[in-house]
Amino acid sequence: MNIALYGLVDATHAESVAVAVCNVLGYGSNNNAHVLILETAAQETQLGHYLDHTWRSAGMGLTQVDFSTFNWLQNEKFERYQAKVKHAFGVDLMQVQWEELDQSPLLAFIVCRIRYLVVPNPIPTSVNWRARYWKQHYNTQAGKGKPDEYIENAKRYAHYIPQSEQLCTG
């Protein structure tokens, strides 16, 4: 399955990058940050299958990070993770430009993971609760996305979800 959008080769590439990012920035107390950022990409761009035609007016890249969020993170949060990211990936977070997220799954997942790192609540263990977590902390109430869409996109594009998780829309 060739994706070729947002710098991805295929879904396995996305999973490898998500795991690499979490190996550096952490998996969270429930050991599932890689699942959350992959599901976020599944919701935001159908894991690279959907090209957002609102380039520059909405989010950027595989995880659709918006400009104001990127600026906030770069001005207030990137410095905390700078050394780890520089050592592991050779990336100077303070020099990254928002537009670079568009063709770099690595940068998109790094910024996405940092966005979730600032949330004090642990990442939920079920896809239902992660959908709500994404809506509250990533998409916000003003965003168009809905938790039910997140669940459906996670099921369709993020094939690694354990069968034991209940995928209901309640």
Side-chain angles (χ1 to χ4, degrees):
M1 164 178 58
N2 192 357
I3 296 176
L5 293 177
Y6 305 105
L8 280 181
V9 175
D10 57 29
T12 304
H13 180 208
E15 187 170 3
S16 296
V17 174
V19 166
V21 166
C22 290
N23 282 340
V24 173
L25 296 176
Y27 287 87
S29 61
N30 289 322
N31 203 35
N32 62 346
H34 63 300
V35 174
L36 177 65
I37 64 176
L38 281 165
E39 288 174 353
T40 298
Q43 169 59 18
E44 297 291 340
T45 62
Q46 298 176 348
L47 200 59
H49 289 83
Y50 173 76
L51 180 61
D52 185 352
H53 296 287
T54 61
W55 192 83
R56 294 193 66 97
S57 64
M60 187 66 69
L62 183 63
T63 57
Q64 292 294 284
V65 176
D66 67 30
F67 186 70
S68 62
T69 298
F70 178 83
N71 277 340
W72 168 64
L73 291 171
Q74 192 169 46
N75 291 331
E76 297 184 27
K77 307 297 178 185
F78 281 3
E79 190 172 338
R80 180 174 181 186
Y81 306 102
Q82 171 70 3
K84 286 182 178 182
V85 170
K86 179 82 169 171
H87 177 75
F89 304 116
V91 172
D92 183 345
L93 287 174
M94 304 314 289
Q95 298 301 314
V96 171
Q97 299 298 306
W98 178 60
E99 294 84 0
E100 292 178 271
L101 275 61
D102 197 49
Q103 291 301 312
S104 175
L106 176 63
L107 292 177
F109 279 141
I110 288 170
V111 175
C112 180
R113 180 65 186 113
I114 291 172
R115 172 62 190 99
Y116 285 123
L117 277 165
V118 303
V119 177
N121 306 353
I123 298 166
T125 56
S126 77
V127 69
N128 270 0
W129 286 105
R130 284 192 302 274
R132 292 180 176 115
Y133 188 89
W134 160 83
K135 180 63 180 172
Q136 181 178 1
H137 300 293
Y138 199 88
N139 185 255
T140 75
Q141 294 307 314
K144 292 182 192 176
K146 297 179 178 21
D148 290 349
E149 294 170 342
Y150 179 104
I151 293 165
E152 288 305 312
N153 283 321
K155 286 170 35 179
R156 183 170 181 190
Y157 297 103
H159 306 288
Y160 56 85
I161 296 174
Q163 293 295 330
S164 62
E165 285 194 359
Q166 275 194 322
L167 297 171
C168 61
T169 58

